Amino acid sequence: MSIDLSQFFDVFFEESFEGLDAMEAELLNLEPGKEDSETINTIFRAAHSIKGGSGTFGFVSVSDFTHVLETLLDQIRDGQRVLTAEHVNLLLKSVDCVRGLLGALQAEEEPDLSESNELKARFEAILGGESSEPTGTEENEVASEAQQSTTYQIDFKPEPHLFKTGNEPLYMFSELAELGQLEVSAFHDGIPDFLEFDPEDCFLHWRFFLTTTKPEPCISEIFEWVEDDADIKIEACGGLFEDDTLDAQDTSAEPINKQPEQPVVETPANTSAQAEENLAAVQKKVESVKTSKAESRKSNDSTATSIRVGIDKVDSLINMVGELVITQAMLSQIGDQEITESSIAALQEGLTQLAHNTRDLQENVMRIRMLPISFVFSRFPRLVRDTSQKLNKQVELKLVGEQTELDKTVMEKLSDPMVHLVRNSLDHGLETPEERIANGKDPVGTVTLNAFHQGGNIVIEIMDDGKGLDTEKIRSKAIANGLINEADDLSVEEVNELIFMPGFSTADSVSDISGRGVGMDVVRRNIQALNGSVEVTSKQGVGSTFTIRLPLTLAILDGQLVQVATHTYIIPLISIVESLQIDISKVSKVGKGLEVLRLRDEYIPILRLYDIFSHQGAREELDKTLLVVVESDNYKIGLLVDDLLAQQQVVIKSLEANYQKVDGISGATILGDGTVSLIIDISGLIKLSGLRRPGSTELLVDLKGEEAEPA
């Protein structure tokens, strides 16, 4: 009887990726000459398990590569070989390589063996007693090959959310142009209809032809920060341009942006027939690669939906269900009895017990989704190590509160904003060792990630002991960009808040790490999309702290129920600043008839919810209504409602999954009486009403700048 081994593939891949994560974490803790046997054993066991599993399932490319890896580790743990920094670097590269091989196999693609073969040769050289570095002859061959120009076809198709991760394609294109002679074609077939168009999303994709003397890794390096947010394919495709050689010093070529009606790649007229044949073959291959990548993405998405649950949580759930069964049996028995005072009292007691059991069950179900934030923190040791080496800085990363639990959904969406904040601390915050010594500091800078619970929220702090925010530089930049006036008297805290304005950057030059002019505003917007907030505190010469506050889960929301005409809406409590009755004497009108309330020297725009959502029968007189002041995007607005109802926790249901996206609404819930209530999206409501965020139109700036007319 034959066994279908494919049924075990998912478990193998999941355990293998976990093993690679463990290997990477332990390798980052290794210090040559100070390593302990347990750390080496942990790394060895992970490699051994991957090798054994891949051999069992017939994944020869993985088992052959991990075999030499395992051999080197075995010699190190037995004391036959001394661990060196070169070994650690190679082992880290091998972790990335095996991760790539497994990813391709999981997507049912043919893995690219070029990197694994190169690393395998270097390991075999070490095991054979030779240096793993290229020999003089090999160096000459490499140098000779480097002088020959090669034409690469590069297909770059970013995900729509690319801009929200703080990346700007234009700078990547400029860097490509510096490598050689570049031809660019832009494809706009993915742009949606105007009503579905979101200006913050990226709908374009590009195809490049680059003739260069540089090797392929130089091209890949340009895209390394966006490889998780785009489909990228780089292939040599033969000569494209007239010259067979390219002056390595010529960096004057500029990208040519084309937008044809149909996705057509234009090539120079002097392209040879052979090159055209090569190009056609490559284009055909790219289409097959795109298909396989799409299937791969589906596979990965499926894997990402799984979650491991501790047996204690499962046992607790079983106990809760048992209690519910007992309560249900009790209520059924009462229902069969004659109605008396005693039976009614027993019924009330049973319903109270049912409510208690339901609440316990809800809390235990939510615990299943809770994971320690170490799942997010674990990616940063490698990020800090690689980035600090690029920046020539010495950095120590401290992780505090790694066992603090957070909802898995929140955790997945938190990763990108945290990556940007940590990179920002490394690039802008920490000084070089020479600067730190000159300022009397330890040459090794410190970045600390701290997580803890506070009330019903989780708080995450990204702290560095660098130079802090330069308030004068921020103020000057804001004045130059027209964000504030030179006469504005701002506190230090208000100046620091300016870094979250759209397009704001104090970077003197653009790098592949930060300084693209898109970043902090996106970070704040992404965190606010999670019903959270981010703020910064800084002291010049001492350091900076970015503090993120988030709800523990996105499945349940603390909300304020409000009545508008005959409808009930829910406003997230975290967005509410205060509720008040309106003093008519303090209401005025500004441009285009916008009503504003002067509240403690602030002008609060008034939005009439019944007007926005086209409801009839609502109270229109300001003195007979209530105003709920809410805050979003660092800006306050007032929502006009008929009445305030109860505050309660509500279970959020997705409108997009069950109906369609509705502007100004983030979701829905079912109330106790069975009616459906919509949850208001404050940021979306501002867009829907025609208002804009600070710095984006004159309207909001004029709220404080012009004399208002009486309403």
Side-chain angles (χ1 to χ4, degrees), residues 51-269:
K51 187 196 85 166
S54 56
T56 300
F57 295 119
F59 301 140
V60 181
S61 58
V62 178
S63 59
D64 285 354
F65 179 70
T66 49
H67 175 70
V68 293
L69 199 68
E70 180 190 47
T71 304
L72 176 63
L73 290 168
D74 194 32
Q75 291 183 2
I76 293 173
R77 72 173 186 158
D78 289 343
Q80 300 175 22
R81 189 177 299 277
V82 177
L83 180 73
T84 66
E86 179 192 3
H87 295 154
V88 175
N89 288 331
L90 280 176
L91 289 168
L92 281 170
K93 289 181 180 179
S94 299
V95 168
D96 294 337
C97 179
V98 175
R99 193 176 278 129
L101 293 174
L102 290 173
L105 292 168
Q106 185 181 29
E108 299 182 2
E109 297 178 4
E110 189 67 28
D112 182 359
L113 302 181
S114 57
E115 184 181 8
S116 63
N117 289 337
E118 179 186 344
L119 288 171
K120 184 178 178 183
R122 296 182 68 178
F123 278 118
E124 289 174 341
I126 293 175
L127 295 172
E130 305 171 15
S131 169
S132 68
E133 297 300 320
T135 63
T137 303
E138 291 171 334
E139 288 177 350
N140 291 336
E141 291 174 355
V142 170
S144 174
E145 291 174 0
Q147 297 305 312
Q148 298 177 4
S149 62
T150 304
T151 298
Y152 294 92
Q153 176 175 312
I154 307 161
D155 284 276
F156 176 53
K157 186 172 185 180
E159 296 290 338
H161 65 258
L162 179 75
F163 298 144
K164 298 176 183 177
T165 62
N167 291 290
E168 171 54 68
L170 179 61
Y171 295 115
M172 301 178 208
F173 304 168
S174 297
E175 290 186 51
L176 280 175
E178 292 180 1
L179 296 182
Q181 195 170 353
L182 185 68
E183 174 98 358
V184 184
S185 287
F187 297 71
H188 57 80
D189 52 304
I191 297 179
D193 294 336
F194 181 77
L195 293 178
E196 299 176 1
F197 182 81
D198 187 338
E200 294 182 355
D201 283 346
C202 178
F203 299 106
L204 298 177
H205 56 107
W206 293 267
R207 176 168 292 165
F208 310 90
F209 287 95
L210 173 67
T211 296
T212 178
T213 59
K214 303 293 184 182
E216 184 178 329
C218 291
I219 303 173
S220 301
E221 185 178 359
I222 293 174
F223 296 99
E224 65 179 347
W225 294 115
V226 296
E227 58 185 11
D228 294 332
D229 301 299
D231 283 339
I232 303 165
K233 184 66 178 178
I234 304 171
E235 281 200 355
C237 62
L240 176 68
F241 298 104
E242 181 177 9
D243 296 334
D244 291 331
T245 60
L246 183 69
D247 184 357
Q249 301 300 319
D250 181 11
T251 59
S252 61
E254 296 182 358
I256 303 173
N257 293 299
K258 299 179 180 178
Q259 295 188 358
E261 288 299 320
Q262 298 295 327
V264 177
V265 177
E266 298 186 16
T267 58

Side-chain angles (χ1 to χ4, degrees), residues 565-610:
T566 58
H567 303 271
T568 301
Y569 288 93
I570 296 172
I571 302 174
L573 271 180
I574 195 172
S575 301
I576 297 177
V577 178
E578 60 183 303
S579 302
L580 51 90
Q581 288 185 318
I582 299 175
D583 183 350
I584 296 293
S585 65
K586 295 183 179 180
V587 176
S588 307
K589 286 187 178 181
V590 293
K592 297 185 179 179
L594 176 65
E595 294 174 304
V596 295
L597 171 69
R598 182 164 185 171
L599 182 64
R600 292 185 291 276
D601 297 326
E602 286 186 278
Y603 286 102
I604 309 296
I606 298 174
L607 299 184
R608 297 174 180 259
L609 288 182
Y610 70 83

Side-chain angles (χ1 to χ4, degrees), residues 217-499:
C218 291
I219 303 173
S220 301
E221 185 178 359
I222 293 174
F223 296 99
E224 65 179 347
W225 294 115
V226 296
E227 58 185 11
D228 294 332
D229 301 299
D231 283 339
I232 303 165
K233 184 66 178 178
I234 304 171
E235 281 200 355
C237 62
L240 176 68
F241 298 104
E242 181 177 9
D243 296 334
D244 291 331
T245 60
L246 183 69
D247 184 357
Q249 301 300 319
D250 181 11
T251 59
S252 61
E254 296 182 358
I256 303 173
N257 293 299
K258 299 179 180 178
Q259 295 188 358
E261 288 299 320
Q262 298 295 327
V264 177
V265 177
E266 298 186 16
T267 58
N270 57 1
T271 302
S272 66
Q274 181 63 44
E276 290 179 348
E277 292 177 6
N278 291 340
L279 179 58
V282 172
Q283 288 174 324
K284 186 175 181 180
K285 189 171 183 179
V286 166
E287 293 305 317
S288 65
V289 169
K290 285 182 179 179
T291 302
S292 64
K293 277 187 176 287
E295 295 173 353
S296 171
R297 191 171 299 279
K298 289 180 182 178
S299 174
N300 290 337
D301 288 346
S302 175
T303 304
T305 59
S306 66
I307 183 173
R308 289 195 173 192
V309 180
I311 191 66
D312 60 321
K313 294 183 178 179
V314 176
D315 290 341
S316 180
L317 272 181
I318 292 173
N319 291 335
M320 290 297 100
V321 172
E323 293 291 331
L324 270 179
V325 171
I326 294 172
T327 304
Q328 183 265 337
M330 180 181 68
L331 291 172
S332 296
Q333 185 177 1
I334 294 173
D336 294 336
Q337 297 175 359
E338 183 180 349
I339 299 177
T340 63
E341 288 187 9
S342 61
S343 66
I344 292 176
L347 179 63
Q348 290 174 334
E349 183 181 347
L351 291 174
T352 301
Q353 184 64 36
L354 178 65
H356 177 72
N357 291 342
T358 304
R359 180 73 178 188
D360 286 347
L361 182 62
Q362 179 194 47
E363 291 178 355
N364 278 269
V365 169
M366 294 309 303
R367 282 185 59 210
I368 288 182
R369 296 164 60 100
M370 304 294 278
L371 295 174
I373 202 168
S374 58
F375 281 86
V376 175
F377 281 8
S378 62
R379 70 181 296 178
F380 289 104
R382 180 71 182 276
L383 173 69
V384 170
R385 179 184 185 273
D386 294 347
T387 306
S388 59
Q389 287 182 350
K390 281 187 175 183
L391 296 170
N392 295 319
K393 294 180 179 179
Q394 299 176 27
V395 183
E396 178 186 4
L397 177 65
K398 294 182 179 180
L399 304 178
V400 184
E402 295 175 87
Q403 295 309 309
T404 304
E405 290 192 333
L406 179 64
D407 188 289
K408 181 176 182 288
T409 307
V410 180
M411 191 177 298
E412 290 171 347
K413 297 180 179 179
L414 175 65
S415 182
D416 285 342
M418 282 195 64
V419 165
H420 192 94
L421 290 174
V422 170
R423 284 180 183 165
N424 187 75
S425 292
L426 294 172
D427 193 13
H428 294 307
L430 295 180
E431 312 94 329
T432 63
E434 296 78 16
E435 290 173 332
R436 293 180 66 86
I437 292 173
N439 293 327
K441 292 184 175 182
D442 189 313
V444 180
T446 302
V447 173
T448 303
L449 304 183
N450 181 28
F452 56 92
H453 287 147
Q454 190 178 75
N457 295 327
I458 184 172
V459 179
I460 302 165
E461 296 177 329
I462 297 95
M463 301 176 281
D464 68 71
D465 64 347
K467 56 191 174 185
L469 296 179
D470 188 339
T471 54
E472 287 303 318
K473 187 174 184 179
I474 294 172
R475 180 182 172 84
S476 300
K477 192 80 171 184
I479 293 172
N481 291 349
L483 300 177
I484 61 174
N485 297 319
E486 196 163 354
D488 290 342
D489 183 18
L490 302 180
S491 66
V492 173
E493 292 75 17
E494 289 173 327
V495 172
N496 289 342
E497 281 289 311
L498 293 173
I499 67 173

